Amino acid sequence: MINTKNKFIPQEDLEKIRSHLHGVDLLITDLLINTGFRLDDIMNSRVFQLAGDSVSLLERKTQKQRSVPLSPELAERVKTYANKKHRFSFTFPALRRYGKKKMHRSTYWRHFMKAVDRAGCADRGYSPHSLRKVYAVRALAKTGDLLAVQSDLNHSHLSTTLLYALS
């Protein structure tokens, strides 16, 4: 059975969804789209890991280090946001825990799914993990190299990358 909650999001729908996100939720969304990291990796990041011109994280699922450059515009948005936080704090702290705990992934998930609903896309099988597929499709279009996309996403099997990049 195919998972219907991780479908690729076409650009038109992506823009509609993004228009219903604001503040930190939009920043998280743009990080997911432009880095291909999993939501859990971004939610567990510390300010110093995102404060430069790239994002460098140890992926929780694969236990592999991965570094992804950011566009100048996104890097500036991340720096502006990060400058308001302590260097070692969670990048996206929980609102009710005075920054001592990270925002739970379900909080962002809920906000993203509300935006999907408001955009009129609730029946299309989109989820935050769909943003990783957006990244994979864009990376394949940019490089034309499926093996490079596989390496970039730290997939062990090419068949997994095919599910992402050829959506």
Side-chain angles (χ1 to χ4, degrees), residues 70 78 88 93 141:
L70 297 175
V78 171
F88 293 105

Side-chain angles (χ1 to χ4, degrees), residues 6 27 35 38 52 77 85 139 146 161:
N6 294 321
L27 183 59
T35 65
R38 292 173 184 86
R77 285 175 52 208
K85 310 281 181 215
L146 195 57
T161 308

